Amino acid sequence: MKIWIAFWNIVLKDMRAYYLKPPNISWGLIFPIAWTAMFFIKSGRGLDDVLGLLPGVVAISILFGTTSMLAVTITFEKKGRSFERLLLAPISLELLMLAKTGGAILFGVVNALVPVAIACFLSDLSRVAWGAVVPAVVLIAIASTFMGLFIAVSVSEIFEAQTFSNFFRFPMIFLCGLFFPIDALPMLLKPLAYVLPLTYGVDILKGGFQGSNIMPLSLDFVGICLFCMVLFYFSLKNIHKKWIS
Amino acid sequence: MLLLGGGKGVFVAMTTNPGSSAIIEVGELTKRFGDVTAVDHVSFQVERGELFGFLGPNGAGKTTTINMLIGLARPDSGAIRIGGLNCRKNPKAAQHLIGVVPDESNLYPELTGFDNLCFCAALYGMGKPARIARATQLLRDFDLSKAAHRKFGGYSKGMKRKLAIAAGIVHQPQILFLDEPTTGIDVASARNIRQLLADLHRSGTTIFLTTHYIEEAERLCDRIAFIVNGRIVKIDQVASLLKPVQDRYATIVNGTGLNPSFLGELSASFGGLEFHLHSQDRIRVESSMPIHIGPIVKFLEDKNVAVTEARRMHLSLEDVFVQITGIEADAMKLEKMKAAA
């Protein structure tokens, strides 16, 4: 019970201190709206293709909403030494890091809801397989946040966190099958697509929204879950190595 | 003899007093950073309810030792037991027993003083009503009630320090680790903090204090360890440490035209007195008997020294520290002030 009080209050504190600040709320709303509008105008295929756009805008909204936010907030707290206070709390490092990432994961999920909410007014979503979409949204948010965590423990300056985030994010959005089908990628780049967590998340979203997934959904779920575990494991290992050495 | 798990199958033997009520037990603690040994086979015990001072110059290994005790750094070898729990094996084992006030504030600048305390209390699993009551009480005790709902980032240095101490004891820990609590703050705030520490000590909290201010340690601590280059060079009760200087007399003579060659002549002329050249214009005279300054002044004036001042000095722990470590306490203080600035 006691450790859950600590867990919940870390999540709440981060939400209040970082994610529910007006600039972040507006960013969280404007960014997905802008992505949706951009994709919509560019596709030129009218309202019928809204479902075709959703996997892309949902995935990108989560990826951009979570990765750098977490990387920056943790780097900021590490620099200001307030992160030390958390390390001194009598809760396990695993639970502490889950609490730190909890706020960002929720923020990512809320980011994903924006384009879906817009789509509700523009298209018929009755055929969407929510049983696949909802867990995919949560798993993409977890994977993106853990990627932010991995970045946060690998850098020491806030600007490095931003740069490092982009270093991962931009290649990822072009290689995960959103803009170019994975089959159409050059032979050399194809294997890269399969070592990106977003590839599996996007494939589930494509399956959930349109039924156009290229891999079995079970494989996608296993793939993205594995990425979440590996990223979390190496982040914790890095924290032990770099921050509690 | 107490056997403590030293990790990796190594057991470190620590000699303990059978009647001891040690709450912190450290044996042969060692930490290296590359080729540098920051903490070198350090052993000590802190009794329950004791105010234990850990003194040394910058880079002596004080903060590294504290970090190992509180679980923020891993020892390379040695043993740590806090409240009977093996912290070498599990650094988190005793974190519920300890409170930590680091040398630099680690509270959240974007939260108010009240919210900072409530958040820190929540980290130790305190329920909402208990957190609110404790935060309100601490803000009152530390005279911060008026600033309770101001953001911590806008506090003065003294207020920040006080709130950091309040945050360190918000969960009523058995042991409080304080790293340089009065460095870089004004005299009034420092006095206030010393009073708070004395009150905490009286209430039974074990306090582990590191400081550069030797007079502060002398005034507050029960026992002191001097650490230099990662090794403990002396550890004893304050009264015992002061014994060698208690029955000694010292006088400082200031003047222009002093010369190191006078020291030999002075020693030859005034048997039983020890002369040390402190600086170009200062000689320190020490003796186990009262010092008659008139003949010394006359001697110096005959040598064309313009004596400007002669005053008796009260020998303190600072002198003991200088004797033991060979480090001038003033230099140590200056070094820290520069770092704080």
Side-chain angles (χ1 to χ4, degrees), chain B residues 44-107:
Chain B
F44 60 86
Q45 292 185 22
V46 179
E47 300 297 311
R48 196 174 289 273
E50 190 176 30
L51 205 163
F52 184 82
F54 207 53
L55 267 68
N58 265 355
K62 301 189 299 291
T63 302
T64 307
T65 305
I66 282 202
N67 281 344
M68 287 190 280
L69 296 181
I70 63 179
L72 286 184
R74 297 265 188 276
D76 290 324
S77 62
I80 302 168
R81 248 180 207 278
I82 294 178
L85 301 164
N86 185 346
C87 300
R88 177 74 206 282
K89 207 170 158 191
N90 176 12
K92 291 232 151 231
Q95 282 185 334
H96 62 290
L97 299 177
I98 66 170
V100 180
V101 182
D103 55 346
E104 278 174 51
S105 155
N106 65 358
L107 291 170

Side-chain angles (χ1 to χ4, degrees), chain B residues 33-49:
Chain B
F33 296 105
D35 295 337
V36 179
T37 305
V39 176
D40 194 0
H41 296 89
V42 160
S43 299
F44 60 86
Q45 292 185 22
V46 179
E47 300 297 311
R48 196 174 289 273

Side-chain angles (χ1 to χ4, degrees), chain A residues 5-206:
Chain A
I5 291 178
F7 178 89
W8 179 238
N9 276 276
I10 293 169
V11 176
L12 272 185
K13 197 277 295 169
D14 281 356
M15 295 295 281
R16 280 173 54 197
Y18 306 121
Y19 303 112
L20 293 180
K21 289 279 185 218
N24 286 325
I25 295 174
S26 56
W27 171 256
L29 290 171
I30 292 167
F31 192 72
I33 292 170
W35 276 108
T36 312
M38 221 158 64
F39 275 76
F40 186 68
I41 294 163
K42 178 78 180 114
S43 75
R45 279 177 284 185
L47 292 175
D48 297 339
D49 199 40
V50 167
L51 281 181
L53 299 178
L54 273 179
V57 286
V58 165
I60 291 174
S61 299
I62 301 172
L63 181 70
F64 278 81
T66 55
T67 323
S68 57
M69 271 299 282
L70 188 82
V72 167
T73 55
I74 289 189
T75 313
F76 176 73
E77 287 192 0
K78 188 75 186 62
K79 261 191 98 67
R81 292 186 66 179
S82 46
F83 198 81
E84 255 178 32
R85 189 158 284 281
L86 301 176
L87 291 174
L88 290 169
I91 59 171
S92 68
L93 188 64
E94 290 78 6
L95 196 69
L96 167 64
M97 295 323 294
L98 285 176
K100 283 305 285 177
T101 49
I105 292 167
L106 283 175
F107 187 69
V109 171
V110 172
N111 269 227
L113 293 179
V114 177
V116 175
I118 297 169
C120 281
F121 296 102
L122 303 174
S123 184
D124 174 20
L125 302 183
S126 61
R127 280 175 297 150
V128 172
W130 294 110
V133 169
V134 172
V137 164
V138 174
L139 285 170
I140 295 171
I142 294 174
S144 308
T145 306
F146 285 178
M147 207 183 310
L149 178 64
F150 183 77
I151 291 164
V153 292
S154 308
V155 301
S156 50
E157 296 291 339
I158 292 169
F159 77 89
E160 287 176 326
Q162 297 270 26
T163 314
F164 208 19
S165 298
N166 289 334
F167 178 78
F168 279 106
R169 284 186 307 201
F170 283 103
M172 202 182 299
I173 57 172
F174 289 107
L175 295 173
C176 72
L178 272 180
F179 292 97
F180 314 104
I182 292 174
D183 286 342
L185 288 173
M187 276 305 283
L188 275 173
L189 293 178
K190 244 185 221 175
L192 263 182
Y194 292 102
V195 291
L196 301 173
L198 202 60
T199 304
Y200 301 93
V202 164
D203 201 45
I204 304 171
L205 290 178
K206 281 182 171 173

Side-chain angles (χ1 to χ4, degrees), chain B residues 280-332:
Chain B
Q280 265 190 327
D281 52 6
R282 178 176 287 185
I283 282 180
R284 179 185 164 118
V285 191
E286 266 189 53
S287 170
S288 54
M289 302 288 285
I291 299 164
H292 300 289
I293 198 67
I296 299 170
V297 172
K298 188 171 182 312
F299 178 94
L300 290 171
E301 283 178 339
D302 288 347
K303 298 272 179 195
N304 291 326
V305 174
V307 177
T308 53
E309 187 190 15
R311 64 185 153 87
R312 191 178 160 189
M313 266 181 72
H314 169 70
L315 288 171
S316 65
L317 194 64
E318 197 169 307
D319 301 281
V320 178
F321 179 81
V322 175
Q323 272 176 20
I324 293 171
T325 64
I327 297 165
E328 284 295 336
D330 282 347
M332 193 169 99

